[in-house]
Amino acid sequence: MVFSTEGKVDYREGQSIGVIPPGVDANGKPHKLRLYSIASSALGDFGDKKTVSLCVKRLVYTNDKGEEVKGVCSNFLCDLKPGSPVDITGPVGKEMLMPKDPNANIIMLATGTGIAPFRGFLWKMFFEEHADYKFNGLAWLFLGVPTSSTLLYREEFELMKEKFPDNFRLDFAVSREQTNEKGEKMYIQTRMAQYAKELWELLKKDNTYVYMCGLKGMEKGIDEIMTSLAAEDGYDWQEYKKQLKKNEQWNVEVY
């Protein structure tokens, strides 16, 4: 969804905005803001710096008592009609800011709506023209989803791949529809394992930056594959990761 900001919200790729849903909570207090990763480049979807885009999944689940619970903010957003007013705050966030180096290797690991910041990155790299930035590096996106119908922005990414085959690599992991050679479900780390050596070689370079965004559970699976890769090369992954983090080469935003 796209919000008109009239140019009053100046943000960078990889930041988040807060949304304050109307009404009060169970204690009669105003709802707290919810943070959402921005899904557009700093120029916005119309290139005029007057909009901000979000990618929101409607949260509905059954609690321990068997009652249906609806996420307050996601349902408010998903039920909005065009033209409705929304209270937003921000922007905030430094963890996921895009590297300024136009020759960097940028590995993006996303699950579900965690694709949001990477859409902003990729628009800046491949759909926009900037006087001070022309991307000449390698952008490699891994997107993990349960079903192919939930491959968000698929057409945009496939167009980028078609237009910039030397600079953009795209790998989907569709866990309920795909399996690997051993018949295991294709999660994001399963797909990464197929390129294990190549990813590890890239990770050893000073100009490689890794970004991870999505559900908390994804971190464990990715850590497991990195641990075995590092060990094969005589490295302790946890120590190596600390160094990468210190150099701002390993950036994580999970929820």
Side-chain angles (χ1 to χ4, degrees):
M1 51 188 77
V2 183
F3 301 90
S4 164
T5 61
E6 293 165 8
K8 291 176 190 162
V9 182
D10 212 9
Y11 60 88
R12 283 172 62 186
E13 294 81 9
Q15 289 196 292
S16 299
I17 54 168
V19 176
I20 305 172
V24 292
D25 63 19
N27 300 318
K29 297 214 167 101
H31 285 299
K32 291 189 170 73
L33 68 86
R34 269 64 164 186
L35 286 178
Y36 289 91
S37 298
I38 294 171
S40 47
S41 74
L43 296 182
D45 283 11
F46 300 101
D48 58 6
K49 295 194 88 168
K50 291 184 178 173
T51 63
V52 61
S53 301
L54 296 182
C55 171
V56 182
K57 182 181 184 204
R58 186 190 292 277
L59 178 65
V60 181
Y61 64 96
T62 306
N63 68 10
D64 300 340
K65 297 176 190 163
E67 302 160 331
E68 185 180 83
V69 181
K70 289 185 171 184
V72 172
C73 200
S74 68
N75 282 274
F76 159 67
L77 288 171
C78 292
D79 289 335
L80 283 173
K81 302 281 181 287
S84 310
V86 180
D87 290 331
I88 63 176
T89 68
V92 296
K94 290 188 230 171
E95 175 72 16
M96 300 291 282
L97 292 178
M98 188 175 167
K100 291 194 168 81
D101 178 3
N103 302 307
N105 302 308
I106 302 176
I107 299 168
M108 295 159 280
L109 313 173
T111 53
T113 55
I115 191 61
F118 306 135
R119 179 176 181 257
F121 284 20
L122 292 164
W123 268 57
K124 181 172 182 176
M125 291 172 188
F126 300 123
F127 277 174
E128 298 173 356
E129 289 190 14
H130 295 264
D132 58 350
Y133 182 84
K134 182 173 187 330
F135 185 68
N136 293 310
L138 171 68
W140 193 347
L141 172 65
F142 289 88
L143 172 58
V145 293
T147 58
S148 46
S149 63
T150 53
L151 282 168
L152 301 157
Y153 309 113
R154 181 180 190 163
E155 293 83 3
E156 289 182 11
F157 300 143
E158 286 178 341
L159 180 61
M160 291 171 188
K161 191 180 173 185
E162 197 181 303
K163 286 172 77 171
F164 300 94
D166 299 334
N167 301 92
F168 184 43
R169 291 178 67 169
L170 178 63
D171 280 283
F172 296 136
V174 186
S175 59
R176 291 182 197 163
E177 296 171 17
Q178 298 173 333
T179 55
N180 66 2
E181 305 75 24
K182 297 180 197 160
E184 296 166 333
K185 280 188 176 181
M186 188 61 75
Y187 293 110
I188 189 167
Q189 65 269 24
T190 324
R191 180 65 78 205
M192 289 169 69
Q194 297 179 328
Y195 302 98
K197 298 277 187 287
E198 208 176 340
L199 285 167
W200 180 244
E201 287 309 313
L202 276 173
L203 259 186
K204 291 198 290 191
K205 295 185 174 176
D206 291 345
N207 66 336
T208 296
Y209 298 82
V210 179
Y211 291 83
M212 190 190 308
C213 188
L215 295 172
K216 231 182 209 109
M218 70 186 290
E219 213 174 347
K220 184 172 176 282
I222 288 166
D223 261 343
E224 281 168 7
I225 166 179
M226 298 317 294
T227 300
S228 59
L229 281 178
E232 278 176 39
D233 213 0
Y235 290 89
D236 173 328
W237 170 242
Q238 292 306 328
E239 288 303 312
Y240 197 75
K241 185 166 75 166
K242 270 186 206 157
Q243 197 53 48
L244 289 174
K245 280 187 172 175
K246 200 170 152 192
N247 299 340
E248 298 182 357
Q249 289 176 270
W250 188 267
N251 308 279
V252 179
E253 195 158 86
V254 289
Y255 39 82

